Amino acid sequence: MRSRSKVGFTLIELLVVIAIIAVLIALLLPAVQQAREAARRTQCRNHLKQLGVACHNYHEAYNLFPLGTGYSLWGWKVYILPYLDQAAMYNRNNFSDDRDTSGAFCKGQGTPCYTSQHQLGAQTTAGLKTHANSVITTLGCPSDPLAMTPYGTGGAGNAENMNGNYFGVCGDVNSVVRANTNYGPNSRHRIVVPVGTSPSSPTYVIGTYDPGKEYNGVFGYGLKVNIAQITDGTSNTFMIGERAVDASHSWGWTLTGTEGDGMLGTGAPMKNGPFTVAAGYTAATSPYFNSYHVGGAHFLMADGGVRFVSTSVSFLVFSAVGTRNGGEVNGEF
């Protein structure tokens, strides 16, 4: 009588199979992650395209692009809300103080003051707090883990402001701050440094509230630009750029545009990765365009197209494309 031999895997064969499966998984995971990031990058491009369509619809209605920041400190994102299917949110605003007051806020206009800070802070009874904690996915990059997350409780009017990723380009200025605070180019506290000047240089230029002189981009504080004024060509001029939310959540509140949170200049070179300053900015640091995408960031051109710009781009070209009327002749970038 013959004995039957048992059929099965030996221990060595089983270990080999497990090792093969582990190698296949190790090869597959990066591919899956790359596919997911590719999808997020596509979605980020689409967000910028939507913002471009909204800005051009605004231009169609008013023959001007929106203010980068108005005198009531509402930012350009507020002005295009009706074109992002957010008319109800737009109608909650009081724009009665949105006019030139020679640098003084609510000057001669009595009380209450209707700047964005007051409307989101002191005027909470008006229900305008919905601005601060509203999530509008179009204003955030899906690759950024801090996009559309709350700023926190940084004082009156700041509680729960959502962080966004898209900034109007205000020209080739290099915007830094003083006294270790978190103010920027559309702030009444701002310092504008001419392009090519080191951020640590003492030759700061205090904001003059002269939009025509301070800003040479599509957006600016109190600046209204139409397409005819973009003499460098709409396909050669940045309109909106991408920036990762920094670790201190100090820049990029989505809707208010208050105190430097709606615009950036191309006077500081673009860098890889997020800006991770843990405290306030200093004279040795400068806000710059960047992203969580590998190798560069997306920019919306003034003609509505979106381009991915590498961090290896020539700084001279990068700063020049930030201007609307510099007359530069730029090559490929």
Side-chain angles (χ1 to χ4, degrees):
M1 183 175 180
R2 292 184 301 176
S3 61
R4 295 180 179 179
S5 60
K6 294 183 179 179
V7 179
F9 290 109
T10 65
L11 179 59
I12 294 177
E13 290 172 332
L14 182 60
L15 292 175
V16 168
V17 170
I18 292 174
I20 292 173
I21 293 173
V23 170
L24 291 175
I25 292 174
L27 293 172
L28 182 61
L29 281 178
V32 172
Q33 291 173 346
Q34 289 178 7
R36 288 177 176 172
E37 172 55 18
R40 290 192 289 264
R41 283 180 62 160
T42 299
Q43 190 174 355
C44 181
R45 289 176 61 91
N46 289 337
H47 286 175
L48 279 167
K49 282 184 176 292
Q50 291 178 56
L51 294 178
V53 170
C55 287
H56 277 270
N57 284 336
Y58 183 99
H59 190 286
E60 184 71 18
Y62 299 102
N63 198 34
L64 291 165
F65 287 117
L67 291 161
T69 301
Y71 296 101
S72 60
L73 293 181
W74 292 120
W76 59 271
K77 299 168 193 176
V78 171
Y79 299 116
I80 64 172
L81 282 175
Y83 307 101
L84 293 175
D85 200 25
Q86 298 289 341
M89 186 178 296
Y90 175 85
N91 291 332
R92 286 178 178 269
N93 297 302
N94 185 323
F95 294 104
S96 62
D97 281 338
D98 202 7
R99 59 191 181 195
D100 188 355
T101 57
S102 301
F105 293 87
C106 303
K107 181 179 179 180
Q109 299 176 46
T111 56
C113 173
Y114 288 111
T115 64
S116 63
Q117 293 162 309
H118 280 256
Q119 289 191 52
L120 294 175
Q123 304 299 323
T124 53
T125 55
L128 290 166
K129 212 65 175 180
T130 53
H131 263 297
N133 55 24
S134 294
V135 174
I136 300 178
T137 56
T138 308
L139 300 178
C141 172
S143 294
D144 190 338
L146 292 179
M148 294 294 101
T149 58
Y151 166 79
T153 54
N158 297 339
E160 298 183 357
N161 278 290
M162 293 296 177
N163 292 290
N165 296 101
Y166 305 120
F167 293 78
V169 180
C170 57
D172 60 0
V173 296
N174 180 352
S175 303
V176 296
V177 296
R178 58 183 172 181
N180 199 32
T181 55
N182 295 318
Y183 300 115
N186 63 339
S187 167
R188 64 180 183 271
H189 304 286
R190 71 198 179 287
I191 300 173
V192 178
V193 179
V195 63
T197 304
S198 169
S200 59
S201 168
T203 58
Y204 295 139
V205 179
I206 304 298
T208 61
Y209 293 94
D210 187 338
K213 293 182 179 179
E214 279 195 48
Y215 305 106
N216 55 7
V218 175
F219 293 106
Y221 180 94
L223 180 67
K224 296 181 179 180
V225 172
N226 62 33
I227 288 181
Q229 294 171 303
I230 306 176
T231 56
D232 287 349
T234 55
S235 61
N236 297 313
T237 303
F238 289 147
M239 187 173 185
I240 299 171
E242 186 179 4
R243 184 182 186 274
V245 179
D246 65 69
S248 60
H249 293 226
S250 62
W251 200 283
W253 303 337
T254 300
L255 291 173
T256 64
T258 298
E259 301 295 12
D261 295 346
M263 301 183 297
L264 283 176
T266 57
M270 185 168 51
K271 298 183 181 180
N272 280 306
F275 193 60
T276 55
V277 61
Y281 298 98
T282 69
T285 65
S286 177
Y288 50 76
F289 287 104
N290 62 341
S291 78
Y292 273 89
H293 309 305
V294 177
H298 291 108
F299 284 82
L300 173 76
M301 310 306 291
D303 66 353
V306 177
R307 300 187 63 169
F308 187 80
V309 180
S310 170
T311 51
S312 63
V313 64
S314 163
F315 175 53
L316 291 177
V317 172
F318 179 70
S319 59
V321 182
T323 70
R324 69 180 185 276
N325 56 2
E328 307 94 345
V329 178
N330 301 312
E332 291 298 318
F333 61 92

